[in-house]
Amino acid sequence: MCGIIGYFGDKDPKNVILDGLKKLEYRGYDSAGVCILDDGKFSRFRAEGKLSNLEEKVKDKQFNGHIGIGHTRWATHGVPSERNAHPHKVSGVSIVHNGIIENYQSIKKELLANGAKIESETDSELIAHLLSIALEDTKDLETAVEQVLPKLKGAFSIVALWEEEPNKMVAFKDGPPLVLGVGEKEILVASDITAIVSHTKDVVFLEDKEVVIVNGTDYKILDPRGNEIHKKIEHIDWNPEAAEKQGYDTYMLKEIFEQPRAVAQALEPHIDIENQVIQLQGALGPDVSAEEINKRLAQVERIFVVACGTSYYAGMVAEYMIEKMTRLPVEIEFASEFRYREPVLPPKSLVIVISQSGETADTLASLRMAKEQGAEIMSICNVRSSSIDREADYHLYMRAEAEIGVASTKALTCTLAVINVLSATLAKIKGRLARDEEVALIQKLQQIPAEMEKVLVHDKFFSEAANSLKRYKGFLYIGRGLSFPVALEGALKLKELAYLHAEGYAAGEMKHGPIALIDQDMAIVVIAPKDDVYEKTISNLEEVRARGGQVIAIGSGEDEVLKDLSLHYLSIPEGDWRTNPILALVPLQLMSYHVASSLGLDVDQPRNLAKSVTVE
Ligand code: F6R
């Protein structure tokens, strides 16, 4: 949560920092601020609310220095306000901070006892006080950081400036991500590469407790013991345009429409078209063959899947699909529960962690806990070289490119594509996927992009129907089998975007309670593609209809039965049970998008949310 950026270079720092903050705004939008060198002093501007408020404040301001920092906030300690906005400034020290200082109360007590004047309610301001005190003796920002770093407990990434050394910027982290961008005549540090990639594609990912000292266009990195280290510069292949709206009104709509291409990209490394073979390519690094990967995976006797939010629903699909196709026992868990409930991980357990950002605090902590217990870890991430990706043994990628809309869309459908190839690979290893079945599945998978294009035409329907849909007092999403996690995700999307009450339920569970909610004002969204539980879902739907519920149905092809039972019927192409969820998600994304838009809400940045949840 929170996005931070620091810049030194020959471009106008105001433009670079504001542009970077725009890319980082998905991480939080409670307030924003910058501190930029001007006439030898760091000039600070802050504004409550969205970045546009800050842009308005600085639009006529010119800065003549070449260094500065910026911040976009997701509030943890202290309400969203200008007073609590970053950068925090104490004497000549300015800092931006992402994360939480857990021992802030004891630090605050000590600072107050020594007469410090604390202006905000944040834990972050305390860091600036500590640095300022250290600088009285050290007169050197690098040494001051080295003294302060061991005093901080929690999860943080920080960039600091000091007026007495105006060409210097010191950045350090313990927990949340921090990336260094090394350009020709410029250096950037930021919470993620989206803020850097339009300036340079050469980056260095910092590890916990490393410190980077930027001095003009030079930099050096210190390891946790203070020794200088030379880290590899990685060249990333991200397209800077992936972080732009490209003519769409919102990132979310762009990302929904990008899905056919994104899913094709996710599948591409794992399908050998010429030989019609599914294989996990590159999961153990570029030099390890698919055969060796299979050999190692053949040892697995038990699978746990761990994730949060939308990624958790992807994990539920993995649980159903892998178990059904391989007969290996699979369990899905919320990362926030798994990490604390002391689970038993038998020998030969594989823990699959799913995370778009690769930084979600609970998921990362679960990974570390499982690793300590000797389990092998497989990550499915979108952000390469994120903490989760780096710490896993096997690495699979969503390949969705930058997902900026806070509500996840394309990352989920890409994950489901990857789960398909993973399940098929494990089934082959277990001798449970016949050759003709493999070829048939490949054909189905390859049809997905074209089929998604067809499903995207429902955009028009929902843009027109949104006005009537938003009048319902509540929404119940129901489905069975693989459509159950789809129902849960549909409800989550509507809640987080439109702030309407929505619940996802296993269709067969309706009669055990939720059916009491149903009346004329309740919309029932049913996901009932033609699969082996279709008939059962139809029976549940009859029960709902008998009580007056208004049905919006998603089914396969021209399903007359479902049509008769529904007020609105949205068709997805007749598919395979394994690919249905990918297609069925698209109308649900469009529905939430248009209902939220028709309510005048900000779909890219829903209230109280942030994309990368690096706090517990
Ligand atoms: C919902 C959404 C969140 C994330 C969750 C996990 O639209 O985006 O529920 O799925 O915060 O994030 P990652 O996948 O980055 O671990």
Side-chain angles (χ1 to χ4, degrees), residues 257-496:
F257 275 84
E258 273 174 351
Q259 291 180 105
R261 187 174 56 86
V263 166
Q265 228 165 248
L267 291 169
E268 191 261 330
H270 309 300
I271 298 183
D272 174 350
I273 298 177
E274 209 179 305
N275 299 307
Q276 292 285 292
V277 171
I278 295 176
Q279 57 200 7
L280 286 187
Q281 205 59 262
L284 285 169
D287 305 327
V288 183
S289 69
E291 291 71 39
E292 282 174 76
I293 297 170
N294 289 357
K295 223 189 255 170
R296 193 154 146 188
L297 282 175
Q299 310 299 314
V300 172
E301 288 180 358
R302 180 101 194 233
I303 296 179
F304 295 84
V305 190
V306 181
C308 302
T310 290
S311 292
Y312 173 86
Y313 300 140
M316 277 181 78
V317 171
E319 178 190 41
Y320 281 41
M321 202 183 290
I322 298 174
E323 201 159 271
K324 192 162 171 170
M325 289 178 72
T326 66
R327 307 315 296 151
L328 279 169
V330 187
E331 246 172 81
I332 169 77
E333 298 241 16
F334 285 117
S336 52
E337 291 297 316
F338 185 76
R339 64 181 290 195
Y340 290 119
R341 73 166 185 84
E342 299 178 25
V344 176
L345 305 181
K348 302 191 179 170
S349 288
L350 174 72
V351 175
I352 303 175
V353 287
I354 305 176
S355 176
Q356 187 284 132
S357 61
E359 301 294 346
T360 301
D362 285 322
T363 314
L364 181 58
S366 298
L367 176 159
R368 288 178 178 158
M369 185 269 280
K371 214 170 175 180
E372 246 168 52
Q373 288 199 36
E376 289 228 285
I377 311 291
M378 175 181 281
S379 62
I380 306 180
C381 290
N382 195 32
V383 180
R384 273 173 200 261
S385 300
S386 54
S387 305
I388 289 175
D389 178 29
R390 278 179 286 139
E391 295 189 27
D393 302 299
Y394 298 84
H395 315 267
L396 295 176
Y397 297 105
M398 301 172 190
R399 303 186 93 222
E401 295 193 341
E403 190 181 68
I404 308 277
V406 165
S408 190
T409 52
K410 61 177 180 172
L412 173 59
T413 47
C414 287
T415 306
L416 298 191
V418 172
I419 286 168
N420 262 280
V421 288
L422 171 62
S423 309
T425 304
L426 292 170
K428 281 203 307 181
I429 293 170
K430 295 281 163 203
R432 290 185 169 268
L433 188 71
R435 183 74 190 111
D436 56 337
E437 287 171 330
E438 180 179 5
V439 174
L441 178 59
I442 290 175
Q443 276 170 17
K444 265 291 157 210
L445 292 172
Q446 288 194 292
Q447 283 164 11
I448 297 175
E451 291 179 340
M452 283 183 117
E453 296 285 1
K454 287 186 200 151
V455 182
L456 283 165
V457 300
H458 296 317
D459 182 57
K460 188 161 174 348
F461 166 75
F462 282 116
S463 66
E464 286 162 7
N467 263 326
S468 57
L469 293 177
K470 70 186 181 202
R471 296 204 184 93
Y472 287 107
K473 72 164 188 217
F475 294 76
L476 267 173
Y477 287 70
I478 58 171
R480 277 175 178 260
L482 283 189
S483 299
F484 172 36
V486 173
L488 291 168
E489 168 64 5
L492 177 67
K493 282 279 104 66
L494 194 72
K495 272 185 269 212
E496 65 181 334

Side-chain angles (χ1 to χ4, degrees), residues 52-98:
S52 50
N53 299 344
L54 175 71
E55 285 176 319
E56 187 55 33
K57 260 192 175 172
V58 293
K59 74 172 191 286
D60 299 323
K61 171 77 191 151
Q62 306 280 340
F63 300 85
N64 58 21
H66 286 287
I67 189 167
I69 53 179
H71 187 272
T72 177
R73 178 168 188 245
W74 188 82
T76 55
H77 295 70
V79 294
S81 66
E82 185 172 331
R83 187 162 71 97
N84 288 332
H86 299 220
H88 289 285
K89 212 172 166 203
V90 175
S91 308
V93 178
S94 304
I95 66 109
V96 284
H97 163 224
N98 168 28

